[in-house]
Amino acid sequence: MVDAEPLDAVVIGAGFAGLYMVYRLREQGFSVQGFERGDGVGGTWYWNRYPGARCDSEIMFYSFSFLPDLEQEWPLTERYPGQPDILRYLEEVASRLDLRKDFTFGAEVTALEFDEAAGRWTLRTAQGHQVTARYVVTAVGCLSTANQPRFPGADSFRGLTLHTGNWPREPVDLAAQRVAVIGTGASGIQAIPVIAERAAHLTVFQRTAQFTIPAENGPLDDQFVALWKQNYPEWRRRARHSPAGFAYNPSITSAFEVSAAERRAAFEAAWGAGGFTFLSGTFRDLALDEEANETAADFVRSKIDEIVRDPEVAEMLKPRDFPIGTKRLPLDTNYYETFNRPNVTLVDLKRTPVEEITPAGIRTSAGHHDLDVIVYATGFDALTGPLEALGIRGRGGRSLRDAWREGPRTYLGVAVPGFPNLFTITGPGSPSVLSNMPVSIEQHVEWIGDCLAWARGHGAKVIEATEQAAAGWTDHVQQVAGHTLHPKAASWYMGANIPGKPRIFLPYIGGVGNYRDRCAAVAANGYEGFVTSGEGSGDHGARPGDHRAA
Ligand SMILES: Cc1cc2nc3c(=O)[nH]c(=O)nc-3n(C[C@H](O)[C@H](O)[C@H](O)COP(=O)(O)OP(=O)(O)OC[C@H]3O[C@@H](n4cnc5c(N)ncnc54)[C@H](O)[C@@H]3O)c2cc1C
């Protein structure tokens, strides 16, 4: 499995990002090979097959913009597409662009080592593949390394253990089963209502109560779809230059410019309409001002009281310890309603923590729960996890894990000093998970493709972000986050869900449109903030202007 002929580029991952990157580089005349640990394309939508798995981006925005024929032909069936639909979409993309032949599937990348003399990377997989390539582009996703908490006795459980982020491909029959879901983040909130309908009994183990907003999913009107498709290029243009990759207009009104009754009416209307505009479309200061935020949080808590019949359960479901929107805001279908079902029990792990997992179930400080199935909906080691798992070693044999011991340092979230010729699609320090991701993925893929073409055109064999540019950008990312309420939450955006992970705000919250402009300016200025050198010379000569960035 050793490939003797060096490639121009390797791409790791076959989700939205990897598919487009391989296509783009191939079209640009680079020799490129993709590696994917799964047996097929789809990324997130290949792995997350749990009951209720669904996109929270509306279907009109959750697709590629560079395939105008497919854009017109693809049916926009319901407001939020389910996992099977998105997987089918990505399989169709792979077929139309004949991409599978350029990927090696079932290949988990475990080592990437940079040879400074040759100016090339060597990639190795757990399955024994080895290739060398000038460039590495990671398309490993932000949410692809499952977070599996280690409870004492977990291996002793005699029933079925599942993780939402690594759900079996074959259907799992939950009928007549006593099921536990551990975790109430976005995945748990999607899965819980559906599992409750199928299982004999569902016990929800909640560590942190969550705000969630109704999705109001449903079929899309034919006329709406026709009109949307007529105007697709304009919607796409707006999404690219928006704060979060959607073509919605954010509110320009403060929560305190209106009366309490008007404020409630605005929240009520947004709640009824469903979706993320509950925050961005109502008042402009909800993400910035604690008092303003509290008005939205209070509204959701009042809805929990309205919906949940048992006052004690309602109280347990009310989030109190973080501002609304500072953890990933889930969208739901009947989440709070599910706790009115006779076959659902809520366990508050803050009051009664898990003591151990036993062969027959879960023991908390309050007693034992007999179970047949345990579902971990415990999320991911977000953003840095999938990158650090690649076994990357850059200049001087330094590992990425070591370079990021205090938190990730990147230039624009796309490059890392000390790791030349390595590009990270939706890496930490880019809008990534704070955006509608296909928009951010397209922007990175196109920017990286242009950058590699520029390097080729200039005879540069090594291109690398400078320390100074990365330091400037990393500070900027933290500064912008510091103007918002986000750092106040113990969220996965802050690395807080993983024991020992540095607490640093991981994505860039400065907005998709602003970020795009910044990246475009860097390119227009001859990739300022990067240095280049010639073929394997080890000459790490700077070009004029390389320290101006950030
Ligand atoms: C449940 C869920 C719901 C989501 N909902 C939304 C949403 O509503 N809107 C939105 O914009 N985004 C959403 N996301 C984020 C979603 O991940 C992105 O929208 C998008 O699918 C990311 O595409 P990607 O190609 O960057 O990464 P992924 O789809 O994660 O693909 C990465 C691929 O890399 C592979 N890989 C990783 N490491 C290795 C390795 N070492 N070796 C080989 N292969 C490797 C993985 O197997 C995976 O197939 C959601 C994510 C989850 C988990």
Side-chain angles (χ1 to χ4, degrees):
M1 290 205 232
V2 176
D3 188 338
E5 191 62 32
L7 294 156
D8 290 327
V10 287
V11 173
I12 306 157
F16 271 94
L19 291 176
Y20 188 25
M21 193 75 246
V22 165
Y23 174 68
R24 183 86 180 186
L25 291 177
R26 195 179 76 187
E27 290 297 291
Q28 290 179 299
F30 289 103
S31 58
V32 55
Q33 176 74 27
F35 289 86
E36 164 59 56
R37 70 171 167 226
D39 288 330
V41 303
T44 289
W45 308 103
Y46 173 93
W47 297 107
N48 289 260
R49 298 170 191 245
Y50 59 85
R54 188 173 290 287
C55 195
D56 291 338
S57 295
E58 288 172 309
I59 191 168
M60 306 83 76
F61 299 112
Y62 201 73
S63 56
F64 285 123
S65 74
F66 73 97
L67 296 168
D69 290 347
L70 185 58
E71 188 176 81
Q72 290 301 317
E73 290 162 32
W74 194 254
L76 302 183
T77 45
E78 54 182 341
R79 184 174 176 187
Y80 302 97
Q83 172 272 330
D85 272 354
I86 308 171
L87 183 58
R88 258 196 303 279
Y89 171 81
L90 290 169
E91 285 174 342
E92 177 64 20
V93 169
S95 299
R96 285 198 185 200
L97 304 178
D98 196 13
L99 285 169
R100 288 186 186 82
K101 69 174 169 40
D102 297 320
F103 275 91
T104 305
F105 293 100
E108 175 159 27
V109 177
T110 49
L112 281 166
E113 280 160 24
F114 187 66
D115 176 340
E116 291 187 54
R120 287 202 182 88
W121 289 92
T122 299
L123 171 152
R124 292 189 186 84
T125 71
Q127 292 71 23
H129 310 91
Q130 181 178 320
V131 294
T132 57
R134 176 73 62 206
Y135 299 109
V136 172
V137 185
T138 66
V140 290
C142 300
L143 304 172
S144 59
T145 301
N147 170 33
Q148 185 75 52
R150 287 183 231 289
F151 293 112
D155 293 340
S156 72
F157 183 56
R158 278 198 307 260
L160 185 60
T161 299
L162 299 165
H163 192 290
T164 51
N166 192 7
W167 199 264
R169 294 177 76 171
E170 310 72 39
V172 180
D173 185 7
L174 297 175
Q177 303 287 296
R178 295 161 302 172
V179 181
V181 172
I182 302 178
T184 55
S187 300
I189 280 175
Q190 287 185 339
I192 283 163
V194 183
I195 293 177
E197 281 173 11
R198 296 182 189 168
H201 191 88
L202 170 64
T203 310
V204 175
F205 291 83
Q206 169 191 283
R207 190 182 57 178
T208 308
Q210 282 283 353
F211 296 103
T212 161
I213 304 298
E216 293 299 324
N217 191 27
L220 290 176
D221 177 75
D222 286 348
Q223 254 185 324
F224 171 87
V225 169
L227 207 61
W228 196 279
K229 287 192 171 179
Q230 269 172 32
N231 293 300
Y232 237 134
E234 175 56 16
W235 292 122
R236 299 285 197 192
R237 190 193 63 74
R238 286 194 203 178
R240 281 184 203 114
H241 296 279
S242 68
F246 299 101
Y248 307 129
N249 291 328
S251 170
I252 50 166
T253 310
S254 159
F256 298 114
E257 279 167 27
V258 298
S259 69
E262 286 167 323
R263 203 161 49 230
R264 180 149 186 109
F267 287 137
E268 195 71 65
W271 181 272
F276 291 130
T277 52
F278 178 82
L279 291 182
S280 60
T282 48
F283 300 106
R284 67 171 153 77
D285 41 3
L286 300 182
L288 304 171
D289 180 287
E290 267 180 278
E291 265 184 77
N293 185 284
E294 190 56 18
T295 64
D298 249 352
F299 175 85
V300 176
R301 288 191 284 260
S302 75
K303 281 288 172 194
I304 297 173
D305 276 332
E306 267 176 38
I307 297 168
V308 180
R309 285 197 288 270
D310 181 336
E312 210 179 310
V313 175
E315 215 44 50
M316 280 158 72
L317 286 168
K318 285 183 199 165
R320 299 241 179 236
D321 48 7
F322 62 97
I324 182 170
T326 54
K327 289 180 172 230
R328 161 69 152 82
L329 187 68
L331 301 185
D332 74 276
T333 300
N334 296 332
Y335 177 67
Y336 296 129
E337 288 83 348
T338 296
F339 294 92
N340 292 331
R341 294 178 65 101
N343 69 334
V344 175
T345 309
L346 179 63
V347 175
D348 182 347
L349 294 180
K350 285 213 167 111
R351 279 193 229 163
T352 56
V354 172
E355 288 185 342
E356 60 168 342
I357 297 193
T358 69
I362 297 179
R363 186 184 314 286
T364 70
S365 60
H368 190 269
H369 299 265
D370 294 338
L371 298 165
D372 303 305
V373 182
I374 299 177
V375 175
Y376 288 88
T378 42
F380 302 91
D381 182 353
L383 286 103
T384 50
L387 292 169
E388 292 184 359
L390 290 170
I392 298 175
R393 290 191 176 274
R395 285 195 188 278
R398 189 173 191 203
S399 73
L400 187 72
R401 203 179 277 277
D402 184 43
W404 285 2
R405 199 169 289 280
E406 310 287 316
R409 285 161 48 80
T410 72
Y411 183 39
L412 300 170
V414 82
V416 187
F419 298 84
N421 291 358
L422 172 77
F423 295 87
T424 53
I425 301 175
T426 63
S430 73
S432 59
V433 288
L434 294 176
S435 69
N436 174 46
M437 291 199 68
V439 172
S440 292
I441 287 169
E442 285 193 344
Q443 184 258 336
H444 264 184
V445 166
E446 289 161 15
W447 192 93
I448 292 166
D450 291 349
C451 177
L452 299 196
W454 177 91
R456 178 172 61 186
H458 285 72
K461 301 297 187 224
V462 173
I463 179 162
E464 179 178 0
T466 67
E467 284 288 350
Q468 197 176 342
W473 182 255
T474 304
D475 284 352
H476 174 64
V477 170
Q478 297 310 310
Q479 263 170 24
V480 179
H483 291 134
T484 73
L485 300 175
H486 270 81
K488 291 189 182 293
S491 65
W492 56 256
Y493 295 138
M494 291 290 295
N497 62 329
I498 304 294
K501 194 165 168 170
R503 296 280 177 107
I504 181 168
F505 195 69
L506 294 167
Y508 178 54
I509 200 168
V512 164
N514 295 337
Y515 174 81
R516 170 182 292 270
D517 292 345
R518 183 73 170 254
C519 291
V522 165
N525 288 334
Y527 294 91
E528 64 182 356
F530 287 88
V531 287
T532 58
S533 58
E535 171 106 64
S537 62
D539 146 34
H540 192 221
R543 292 175 305 100
D546 64 345
H547 291 319
R548 275 175 296 154

